[in-house]
Structure formats: C-alpha cells, structure tokens
Amino acid sequence: MTSRCILQTALLVYFSTTVLAVNYDLLRFQLSSSSVECQELLLQLNGTTKDCLKDRMNFKFPEEIEKSQQFQKEDFILVTLEMFQKTSDIFRRNLSSTGWNEIIVKNLLETLHWQKEHLEEILEKIMEEENFTWDDRTLLHLKKYYLRIVRYLKAKEYSICAWTIVQAEMLRSFFFLDKLTDYLPN
Amino acid sequence: MLWSQNASPIRPQHLYLVVYINLMFGVLSSLPDLSDKSCTFKVTLRNFRVILSWELKNHSIVPDHYTLQYTVISIPDHMKTVEHCSNITATFCDLTDVWEVLSETYAVTVDGFRGNTTLVTCFIDFFLATHISLEPPEFDIVDFTDHINVHVNFPPVMPKILDGKVLQFYLPLIIEEQSGGIVKKHNPTLDENVTGNFTYVIDNLLPNTNYCVSVYFKHRNLEEIHRSPVKCTLLPPAQDTGSSESAKIGGIITMFLIAAVFISTILILKRVGYICLRNDFPKVLNFHNMSSWVFPEMPPLEAVAFVEVIHINRKKKVWNYSYDDESDSNDEAAAPLTNTGGYTKHGLVGGLLGPTSASSATWEDRLEPDTEERDLSEPEADTDPLMALGTNPGGSECTSGAYEGRGKLLQDPFSKEDSSSTEGSGDKIIFNVNLSSVFVSALDDDDSEAPPASPSFPEETYNLEDSHRLETSFLEARGEGTQPPFPTPSAECPWPEVVLSDISDSSESGVDTGDGYIMR
C-alpha cells in the first residue's frame, strides 16, 4: 500500500513537472504567429504618410532588440510581454481622428491581450520554478521607447499623421519581435 | 504546450478568438496593392536584386524619363534622389545597394517628365518586408541514378538587405520534388554567407523514375508563392555493375557476420561448458604414427623362457588302518612314480605384456595346462597352487592384491603405465613360485630332458581352474627383449623371488637331482 502511494506520488510529480514545464518551441511558434498577425492587422489600417513626412520622429527602438541580441529565456519573456503590453496600451488611446476600422482595431487589441496574458502565465511559471534576475537595462530602454511614442501622440494630439507614423513604427517593432523569437532558446 | 490546471494558457475563448481572427483575416493571401491614384508600384526580389517597378495607370500619359526619390519613415530625413534612377526611361529601378534594411517603411516618389515638364508624380509608402515579392532564383539540376543535385545560383555578394539570418528566417528557400503526384518539400539550411553555386542533394530516389523539381522563396507573411519553372528529368536505370558490386559487398559482409556469430557461439558454448574438448585422445584414435599403424612393427625378438612346471599330484593321505606293510609301501612308491611325468612345461613369452605387441597372448592364455594333468589330478586331492601357482607366503590379501595388479596389467596392455613399467622392469620376468612343490629349470639345455624322477617328494596336484589364485605367484626368468610389466611387490606383500641361475646351486634351499632340476 505504501509503495503504491509512493509510486503514484512519484508519477504525479513527474507528470506535473512535465505539464508545468515550458515548451519553448511552442512559445516560439505562438509569439511568431502573434507578431505576424499583428503586422497584418496594422497593414489593414488605412493611412498614408504622403502628407505626414514632416511629422516623422525617430523613436529610437532599443538597439539590442533590433540587432537580435541573444537573450536569456527569462529576459525574452519579459521583453515580449512588455512589447505586447505597451502596444495594447497605445492602441487603446484616442483613435478618433484616424478613421480606422474599429473591428480591425478590436481584433488587434484582442490579439495583443491574449498574447499578453499568455506571456504573463509563462512568466509566473518561470518565476515559480527558478530564481532568476533579468537585465533591467533592456527593459528600461523598452519602457522609454514606448514612453516616447505616447508622448509623441500626446504632442501631436493624436492626429492622423501621428497615428500613421506610430502605425509604421509598430510594424517595425513587430518585425523585430518576430525576428527575436528565432533566438529563443530551445 | 503543457500547462498547469490553474494557469491554462490556452483558454477556450482565447483560442476561439485567435481562430476567428485567423479565419477572418489570416495571413495575407496576396500582396497588398501598392498604388496611388496615378501609378502602381511593385517591389520585387529578382535574382537577389531589389527592383522597384512602376506603371502609370493612365496610359495616355507617357513620360520620356523618370526620376525616383525615396525616404525612410523611421528617420526624419529628406527625400533622397537615387542617381542611377534619375532621368531614366525605364520604369523600374534597382535599389539593391540603396535599400539596406528590410524592416523599414520606405516612402518613394517617382516623377515622370517629358522634357522638363513633370507629367506625373507618383508616391507610395510601404513596409518593405511585407510588400516585397520574391521571385524564385535561377537553378539547375543534375540527375543521377538515385539522387538529383539541385544547383541554386546565389550572387557572389549577398545584398545587405539579406544580411545576417534575414534570408534564412524571412525568406527561406524551398525545393519541391514532384513525382507521381507526390510532392515533397525540402528546406535547405542556408548559411549567412551563402554565395555562389549552392548545391542541394535530393537523395533516396527511385531509378528509372521521372522527377520534377522547382524552387521558390517562402514568404513569412504571405501565402502567395512564386514558383520557378519546373525542370523534369528521368533518372537513369540502376547499373548492374553497381548493383552487383553492392551485392558482392553485401554477400561478403553477410558471410563475415555469419562466421563471426558462429565462432562466437562456439566460444561461448565452450566457455559455458556445453562443449568439452579433449586433447587426450584414446590411443586407438592416435593416428600420428600412421606408419606404425599401417605397417606395424614386427615385435622384437622376444626372449622366451620356458619354465617347466612339475605337477605333483599330492594324494590326500588316507590313513589305511590296515596294517598291511605292502600296501603302504606300494602306495608310497607308486605315488612318486605316477607323478614323475606329472609336470608341465610352459613357455613364458618375454614380450607377452609389452605395449607394442598387440596380439600378444595373455599370461592366462599361456598357462593352460595339458589335459594329462587334469587326468592326474584327483578330485579329492589337495590342490595346492604351483608355479606361478605357488602359495603366497604373504597371505591371501597379498595374493588378491597382486593378482589385481597383474590383472590391471593384462587388461590394459597399451596403457602408459605399462609401457613405463615395462621399460623400468628391464628384462626380467618375476614369478612367485612355491618352491616347495616346483621344480624349476632353465630350458636352454634342458628342453629335451625328461622330467626328473623324483619319487622322494610327494605328489602334488593343482587344479587349473583355480589358476586365478595361482597366478599370483611369479617366477623370475631371464631373457632378451622386452619384458612384460609386473607389479612390484608391495612392502606388505613381499614376494619371494626365484633366480633360475641358481638352479645348479646345491644350497641349503634345494637338492640338486643331477639333471638340472633343483629339488627344494
């Protein structure tokens, strides 16, 4: 009886560990799919920069992400989570001047939200399994990047040109995010 | 992905949302239209060159030259004029060396002039990574019996826009193999610095089969694929020499494996003990000395020593209570007389029990008494052993023991012990004889002599049927040649030795009868 309980407990712990383990291959696929999906939704948003070239701004996307620097898996989760979170926050702001299709915007927000929650759960799991320290500099640079975007929108009073410029910048950020998933460790 | 029960990562409602979005929008099936009100643009990766082409929507307007300018949205910079795309008559421009970043939104202006008059101005902005059309590269195939080499032409210098892992990650190369309605896709891994002729081998193909090959770049964001023109080939049939060589090699390898398995099995069985190999073959199976076996050596001249056995019929003295003097004297006189001729000659073969004599008779065979002796023996007479048949002073145990030893010798004349003991015994034959009842003589000169008349000793008889007891006695004889092996008397069973050379010795032990016999 005791041996059977021990065996069952051991099996439960083993399979629980397996269940709780993060499958980074699947995470890579999900993140890549989400990035591509977001790009496609952004592309469907109408707009042209023909009359907005004077409103352009260099938001200074973090170079370590643009260059696809190798991150630890914990840093990668934090970076991607921050990007989805901030992008979602940006597109929840005043879009009235854009004239964009609200369904497309809604779909974009739901995709961002789902991926954000997914990443939060993974991050909680990683924090439960092991103690780790992440690189604050990259996260700080990323926070500053999105802060600049928000300040720009505010400064431009959420004009159509500002949103068009931000739209182009978001396309760029998701391209980097998609490229970054290729460096996710196995 | 496996999750805990509390934190289910793929909640059903979210999954349904993602599926809905994908079904509604999905991946772009085709490239978005790059056009404005005047022109339609198209950016293409052709032979690893970034080509921007345009077409005026209003065909009535025909500029005689064009000038192209561009800028990047992420950097607040002025429009840049591309020098090699200024005042060109072509409606396309190679911007490979100008546009170095794939992940940029480019804003392009094309002015159409006729003379100095601007007839049309076209403007377009597009995110290059999602709007570039990928035309398949040039390639060639070389067919073999069971594989096809696909040679893809890469430029000697890869454009900067495809630097790093951009090509592998964003524009992976796909090689399609088609045969019999079955399509297989191959995704070769491209190095970052892949240049020149890139060769990919499609192996495991069937000989004498038609295969068609095409290549293309798989766009990461688009489902639209531009396949290259298909190149088909019929693989040559398999060559016999090659197949025969491979069959030979396979046969040799198979034979080697079988032999290895067999040998290892034998070794294992031998080690375990199932197979017990003996090196000591019986002598009958010893064929080393074939010559001697085929041509057996003649037995050496054997020394034959003849020993006369004098049977003494010893009547059981029955007291005749009749006191008739004549009867007593007659009996006493008659007894020795009747026994005078009552001895038997036996020849002892010196090499009787030698190892080389395969046909030598046994000691028992030679000690067959004459039939006359049987007649002489009386059933009621005491039968004491004579000649080889003498009593063993050592007792019955020694007798039986000696007999056993001798019996061993007889039974195994080819044993090594016999041969060694034969060599050690020299040229002597040792017999134990009851000297009290035996006359012994050397037969060299005395073969023709008649048995002595010695009525002085009582007649003794022995029963040859009990010869197995009598054989425990040995008579020593001298002769040439090999001598049969005899067991050496043990300390417990001393055997008396009789020396024939002392026949003439008129010692205390015997009385010389004058005819070569010693009466003891």
Side-chain angles (χ1 to χ4, degrees):
Chain A
M1 185 65 181
T2 304
S3 61
R4 182 180 301 178
C5 291
I6 293 174
L7 177 62
Q8 292 177 351
T9 305
L11 291 175
L12 180 62
V13 171
Y14 173 77
F15 286 110
S16 299
T17 307
T18 307
V19 170
L20 296 174
V22 179
N23 188 336
Y24 287 99
D25 291 335
L26 184 58
L27 176 62
R28 182 186 298 109
F29 173 77
Q30 290 177 342
L31 289 175
S32 178
S33 300
S34 299
S35 301
V36 172
E37 182 70 21
C38 292
Q39 290 183 61
E40 294 171 359
L41 291 170
L42 289 170
L43 288 171
Q44 295 177 21
L45 297 175
N46 295 328
T48 179
T49 61
K50 182 178 181 181
D51 299 323
C52 303
L53 295 179
K54 60 184 185 310
D55 295 321
R56 290 176 296 169
M57 179 181 175
N58 187 359
F59 299 102
K60 299 179 182 179
F61 190 83
E63 190 175 351
E64 57 268 33
I65 300 175
E66 181 178 353
K67 301 296 183 184
S68 300
Q69 178 181 332
Q70 197 78 15
F71 290 104
Q72 295 183 359
K73 57 181 183 295
E74 298 84 4
D75 295 334
F76 175 84
I77 301 298
L78 288 172
V79 167
T80 54
L81 177 60
E82 186 71 14
M83 296 179 68
F84 280 104
Q85 178 67 51
K86 295 301 182 184
T87 304
S88 178
D89 293 342
I90 288 172
F91 281 91
R92 290 181 185 279
R93 295 179 179 271
N94 186 2
L95 295 170
S96 58
S97 62
T98 59
W100 287 337
N101 190 330
E102 293 181 356
I103 297 175
I104 296 175
V105 175
K106 182 180 180 181
N107 293 336
L108 176 61
L109 291 174
E110 288 179 349
T111 302
L112 294 171
H113 177 73
W114 178 85
Q115 191 64 67
K116 177 176 70 73
E117 286 194 348
H118 186 194
L119 290 171
E120 286 176 348
E121 293 169 352
I122 295 174
L123 187 62
E124 290 176 0
K125 205 172 305 297
I126 293 176
M127 295 176 68
E128 291 174 0
E129 291 176 354
E130 52 188 274
N131 297 324
F132 68 97
T133 57
W134 54 83
D135 187 2
D136 293 336
R137 293 177 301 173
T138 303
L139 210 57
L140 181 61
H141 296 164
L142 201 59
K143 289 179 179 295
K144 288 183 177 181
Y145 166 77
Y146 287 102
L147 187 59
R148 285 190 285 269
I149 293 175
V150 172
R151 287 179 176 177
Y152 168 82
L153 286 171
K154 288 180 178 180
K156 297 293 181 180
E157 297 178 353
Y158 302 98
S159 63
I160 180 67
C161 286
W163 279 113
T164 303
I165 299 303
V166 170
Q167 175 193 4
E169 188 63 27
M170 292 298 99
L171 280 170
R172 220 167 138 248
S173 67
F174 281 112
F175 178 88
F176 295 138
L177 180 59
D178 185 22
K179 190 179 177 185
L180 196 63
T181 58
D182 193 39
Y183 296 91
L184 184 64
N186 295 321
Chain B
M1 186 174 185
L2 301 177
W3 310 97
S4 64
Q5 295 296 329
N6 294 329
S8 60
I10 306 178
R11 294 174 182 175
Q13 54 271 26
H14 290 168
L15 181 60
Y16 299 152
L17 175 64
V18 172
V19 172
Y20 169 75
I21 291 174
N22 286 326
L23 290 176
M24 289 295 294
F25 301 98
V27 180
L28 293 174
S29 59
S30 61
L31 281 167
D33 189 15
L34 295 176
S35 63
D36 65 352
K37 61 182 181 180
S38 303
C39 302
T40 301
F41 289 88
K42 186 175 182 180
V43 58
T44 306
L45 186 66
R46 182 180 302 145
N47 295 326
F48 301 95
R49 308 293 296 181
V50 180
I51 307 297
L52 178 64
S53 60
W54 57 88
E55 182 181 358
L56 296 177
K57 290 183 177 179
N58 189 356
H59 297 284
S60 61
I61 301 173
V62 182
D64 53 6
H65 62 275
Y66 302 91
T67 297
L68 187 144
Q69 295 178 322
Y70 81 95
T71 186
V72 178
I73 300 299
S74 63
I75 299 174
D77 203 357
H78 301 290
M79 294 294 281
K80 297 179 180 178
T81 302
V82 181
E83 293 184 1
H84 62 273
C85 297
S86 298
N87 301 319
I88 56 173
T89 58
T91 58
F92 64 89
C93 181
D94 188 344
L95 301 171
T96 306
D97 299 328
V98 179
W99 293 354
E100 299 179 350
V101 181
L102 192 64
S103 59
E104 280 287 358
T105 299
Y106 293 89
V108 176
T109 302
V110 174
D111 297 319
F113 301 94
R114 180 177 292 172
N116 294 329
T117 305
T118 302
L119 298 179
V120 64
T121 299
C122 301
F123 177 87
I124 193 70
D125 57 358
F126 53 89
F127 190 61
L128 183 59
T130 58
H131 287 83
I132 189 168
S133 175
L134 306 175
E135 290 188 359
E138 293 180 357
F139 75 104
D140 196 5
I141 61 173
V142 178
D143 58 349
F144 296 90
T145 305
D146 58 350
H147 66 279
I148 295 175
N149 288 353
V150 181
H151 302 287
V152 181
N153 297 328
F154 279 84
V157 178
M158 192 64 71
K160 291 184 179 180
I161 200 170
L162 299 176
D163 273 353
K165 296 186 177 181
V166 173
L167 184 63
Q168 178 67 25
F169 174 76
Y170 215 78
L171 309 173
L173 180 68
I174 304 297
I175 299 176
E176 274 190 358
E177 160 207 340
Q178 306 175 26
S179 177
I182 300 174
V183 179
K184 292 184 181 180
K185 296 182 179 181
H186 304 268
N187 185 6
T189 301
L190 302 177
D191 295 334
E192 296 182 12
N193 300 324
V194 58
T195 56
N197 201 358
F198 173 79
T199 302
Y200 182 79
V201 180
I202 302 175
D203 53 6
N204 297 326
L205 302 180
L206 299 176
N208 199 23
T209 306
N210 188 41
Y211 286 91
C212 296
V213 180
S214 66
V215 298
Y216 60 89
F217 287 112
K218 174 70 172 68
H219 203 289
R220 191 172 181 83
N221 298 92
L222 299 173
E223 290 183 352
E224 183 179 355
I225 296 172
H226 297 279
R227 287 187 175 85
S228 66
V230 176
K231 293 186 178 181
C232 299
T233 182
L234 178 63
L235 299 185
Q239 296 179 1
D240 295 336
T241 57
S243 61
S244 65
E245 288 180 356
S246 61
K248 289 180 182 178
I249 295 173
I252 292 172
I253 294 173
T254 303
M255 293 298 296
F256 175 76
L257 290 176
I258 293 173
V261 171
F262 180 75
I263 292 172
S264 61
T265 304
I266 295 296
L267 292 176
I268 291 172
L269 291 177
K270 182 180 179 182
R271 181 162 294 185
V272 172
Y274 274 98
I275 297 178
C276 298
L277 299 179
R278 294 186 59 185
N279 295 326
D280 52 342
F281 290 98
K283 285 192 176 180
V284 294
L285 297 180
N286 188 3
F287 299 107
H288 291 299
N289 197 359
M290 285 294 295
S291 61
S292 64
W293 182 70
V294 177
F295 304 101
E297 296 178 359
M298 294 297 294
L301 296 175
E302 298 172 338
V304 178
F306 289 90
V307 175
E308 293 182 0
V309 177
I310 303 173
H311 293 275
I312 301 175
N313 293 322
R314 182 182 295 172
K315 289 187 178 179
K316 182 176 180 181
K317 194 170 183 179
V318 178
W319 288 97
N320 186 2
Y321 291 95
S322 64
Y323 294 91
D324 188 358
D325 296 336
E326 294 180 356
S327 63
D328 292 337
S329 62
N330 292 333
D331 292 338
E332 292 178 358
L337 290 176
T338 58
N339 294 330
T340 305
Y343 59 90
T344 307
K345 290 185 180 180
H346 295 274
L348 299 178
V349 180
L352 179 65
L353 299 179
T356 57
S357 176
S359 60
S360 61
T362 61
W363 173 253
E364 295 176 352
D365 295 336
R366 296 301 178 92
L367 288 180
E368 293 180 0
D370 294 338
T371 55
E372 294 179 357
E373 295 183 0
R374 296 184 179 273
D375 296 336
L376 293 177
S377 64
E378 295 182 358
E380 294 183 355
D382 291 336
T383 57
D384 292 335
L386 289 179
M387 173 81 213
L389 315 177
T391 57
N392 182 3
S396 60
E397 295 181 355
C398 296
T399 302
S400 60
Y403 170 73
E404 291 177 358
R406 182 166 182 177
K408 291 181 182 178
L409 291 173
L410 293 176
Q411 292 174 359
D412 190 6
F414 298 101
S415 64
K416 292 182 179 179
E417 296 177 357
D418 295 339
S419 61
S420 62
S421 63
T422 301
E423 296 175 358
S425 62
D427 55 353
K428 293 184 180 179
I429 301 176
I430 302 174
F431 297 89
N432 288 340
V433 179
N434 185 6
L435 299 179
S436 62
S437 60
V438 175
F439 278 113
V440 179
S441 68
L443 298 177
D444 292 338
D445 299 327
D446 299 336
D447 291 340
S448 60
E449 290 183 359
S454 54
S456 59
F457 54 88
E459 178 182 350
E460 295 182 356
T461 62
Y462 66 94
N463 187 0
L464 290 179
E465 295 179 356
D466 298 332
S467 61
H468 61 275
R469 286 189 298 109
L470 303 178
E471 292 175 359
T472 57
S473 301
F474 294 92
L475 178 66
E476 181 181 9
R478 292 179 179 175
E480 297 177 353
T482 58
Q483 298 295 326
F486 283 89
T488 58
S490 62
E492 298 177 352
C493 306
W495 291 87
E497 294 183 356
V498 176
V499 180
L500 293 176
S501 60
D502 298 333
I503 293 175
S504 61
D505 184 14
S506 59
S507 60
E508 298 177 353
S509 60
V511 176
D512 189 7
T513 57
D515 55 357
Y517 290 95
I518 299 176
M519 182 183 69
R520 298 185 182 273

